[in-house]
Amino acid sequence: MRYRLLTAAFAATAALNIAGPVQAAELEVTHWWTSGGEAAAVAEFAKAFDASGHKWIDGAIAGSGGTARPIMISRITGGDPMGATQFNHGRQAEELVEAGLMRDLTDIAEEGKWREVVHPSSLLDSCTLDGKIYCVPVNIHSQQWLWLSNAAFEKAGVPVPTNWEEYAAAAPALEEAGIIPLAVGQQPWQTTLAFQVLLTAIAGPDAYTKIFGEKDADLAAGEELAKVFEAAAQARSMSAKSNVQDWNQATNMVITGQAAGQIMGDWAQGEFQVAGQVAGKDYTCLPGLGVNEVIMTGGDAFYFPVLDDEEKSAAQADLAKLMLSPEVQVAFNLKKGSLPVRGDVDLEAANDCMKKGLEILAQGNIIQSPDQLMSADSLTQINDLFVEFFNNTSITAEDAQKRFVDLVANAD
Ligand code: GAL
């Protein structure tokens, strides 16, 4: 889809022109954006919401989604709801919506023509249950990226790889130069992320969608997947000395050249930006590990618990509209390293990696994220398998594949 130009300058004034609310209200907004890049991005939402006359009360919860979501869910089910909360695109809030605890945004979405504005429309499908819309998508984060430190490869005397195979082959030279080949943190979702990115690159996007979407256990048990598990065992040994917890600590290992690379979603871009590093000059990004260039439509959406408070409910509607406005979409996504969910804005200031992502998105090479294809419970069990696999070298690639097949066969 062609993107129309919209400059950030226009954006700043437009944001201030949002008509002030009839009655200003404070809204507590919970999210898990606590790294440098994430904090810079969420500050754009807060700034715009405050500029509209309301007040953003920041409810940041450290420790990424796996820690934050249970807290958010227990507050909502426990009768202590926040004004708005982040979840990922997909099925994480499904049970809260089914329980009638989340606000129906359909009227706001129809007034704002979200069905026309949001691209790809699968993002809005992920917000829709029984024909009603319950969230506002705010970005597209693809997990299908490899981030490489140019300095690390220079120090090891090997060219910056152009794909996974070259990268894995460079591991001995990197280790020789005292550089950790692959940085991985211990948060459970990180090892599953690495696995499903390897799967998409080595077995292909269709195999990924058949397994995570259609739960095709036969395919999961086959030869193609055996190659993926071999690569996962390679990634395990490349990351053996990566002893950090959080994803952004692993990203920092690449920023400082302590590690040569990280398989991570493009939220890592926010960290490179905060560190003043330039795409193409200081770091290299390989979408689809340089093998299958796809964009995974992961990312984030905001949901609004039902509140028994007229003023706060009105403020919820204002916040939902504002998050999807062109000017806020540009300001937020540039800082977040993600792509906008609107098809009618252009990130003029986007760096080379974001531009690569926009091109792949425009070509329609899109796959859905695991959160959009599989239930939270099933994904948690797969996360547990890969945490164990990456931390216990006595588990062979064959053992892991057998256990993965069982999980896929019983997934929903
Ligand atoms: C993802 C989220 C991103 C990013 C990441 C790490 O679930 O979509 O926005 O922040 O977590 O926290």
Side-chain angles (χ1 to χ4, degrees), residues 32-33 38 64-65 69 86 88 139 141 189 247 267 299-300 336:
W32 58 82
W33 290 329
E38 293 170 327
S64 94
R69 288 192 292 272
Q86 170 198 3
N88 289 122
N139 64 5
H141 265 316
W189 55 272
W247 67 271
W267 48 86
D300 307 291
K336 193 70 175 62

Side-chain angles (χ1 to χ4, degrees), residues 362-385:
Q363 289 155 11
N365 295 344
I366 292 169
I367 53 176
Q368 294 202 307
S369 69
D371 297 315
Q372 292 170 297
L373 296 171
M374 206 177 248
S375 73
D377 287 349
S378 298
L379 278 177
T380 300
Q381 292 175 58
I382 290 175
N383 287 352
D384 294 345
L385 166 60

Side-chain angles (χ1 to χ4, degrees), residues 12 78 88 91 127 166 189 207 219 231 290 301 306 338 358 381 383 392 394:
N88 289 122
R91 302 175 54 184
C127 288
E166 291 172 10
W189 55 272
L219 185 58
V306 174
S338 41
L358 285 167
Q381 292 175 58
N383 287 352
N392 180 347
S394 69

Side-chain angles (χ1 to χ4, degrees), residues 6 8-19 325-328:
L6 183 77
F10 165 74
T13 50
L16 298 175
N17 291 340
I18 293 176
S325 65
E327 52 282 353
V328 174

